[in-house]
Amino acid sequence: MNAELTFRLANEQDLDEIVAMLADDVLGRTRERYEQPLPVTYLNAFQAISADANNELVVACLGEKVVGVQQITFAPYITHQGGWRATIEGVRTLSSERGKGIGTELIRWAIGRAKERGCHAVQLTTDKKREDALRFYEGLGFKATHEGMKLKL
Amino acid sequence: MNAELTFRLANEQDLDEIVAMLADDVLGRTRERYEQPLPVTYLNAFQAISADANNELVVACLGEKVVGVQQITFAPYITHQGGWRATIEGVRTLSSERGKGIGTELIRWAIGRAKERGCHAVQLTTDKKREDALRFYEGLGFKATHEGMKLKL
């Protein structure tokens, strides 16, 4: 399977499938709005991401079919001797394609991309309700050394 | 005290004092390098931050004196209906000025700035070793709903 899996930057035509994946999720269904037409806020975010050299919305494809998505943000931080870090967000695999290792390949791809960009670390936060996700990321070498704190405005 | 506290974007002349604050910290002293001349990586990061409209390195000043620092990164995310979020990093107060509420004012300022920028949430991660920091952020309304996971490259 993995031989056919390819990665590329998302384009605007992928947006419908991306939002469908985000909404088809135990937490996503409470906070996303997958409907036709798609809320314009998704297009606005897509355009802001595309215009920003430090943000990449990446899709995984099996042939032509979009089967996974993730967003990677690169940031220069003054801490850690002025090191760049990559933050991964919004990792999802198409529900019909789960269990095939696509999530693992997405994260491995993000790690490789972070190295290319000269980052000294990759980071992410995962909701404490997602116990499987915690184990998944630990299996890929991530350490849950930090509390991920959020304040809604 | 707070009447005199002002906030502004850091300039290059502040960099020495900023790195001194980052290094004067129980975790910072193991990973920063405060020496003369300052390692060029700090200047490189400062310039990358200054050139990026989505990154702000902010200092708190009492009169002319720099007494605190934080970095705020704004990012458009495709999740949460395409919402912008602010991430706070590297919050430090000058050790001789601790206990005066400067940290609280820094975070309140960041929250106000995030609202100005149209963010729907403010987030940060704090090392689980920093038990006081966890309580500090909880006192400001942050919820530790997520695991903050890191992978060093």
Side-chain angles (χ1 to χ4, degrees), chain B residues 124-137:
Chain B
L124 56 87
T125 69
T126 182
D127 197 300
K128 290 179 180 175
K129 293 177 194 145
R130 298 191 194 272
E131 291 174 17
D132 289 355
L134 176 64
R135 283 190 292 271
F136 167 73
Y137 290 119

Side-chain angles (χ1 to χ4, degrees), chain A residues 79-98:
Chain A
T79 53
H80 290 265
Q81 301 183 34
W84 283 71
R85 250 177 281 166
T87 303
I88 305 174
E89 163 76 17
V91 181
R92 300 289 186 279
T93 299
L94 193 66
S95 56
S96 60
E97 302 288 346
R98 282 180 196 150

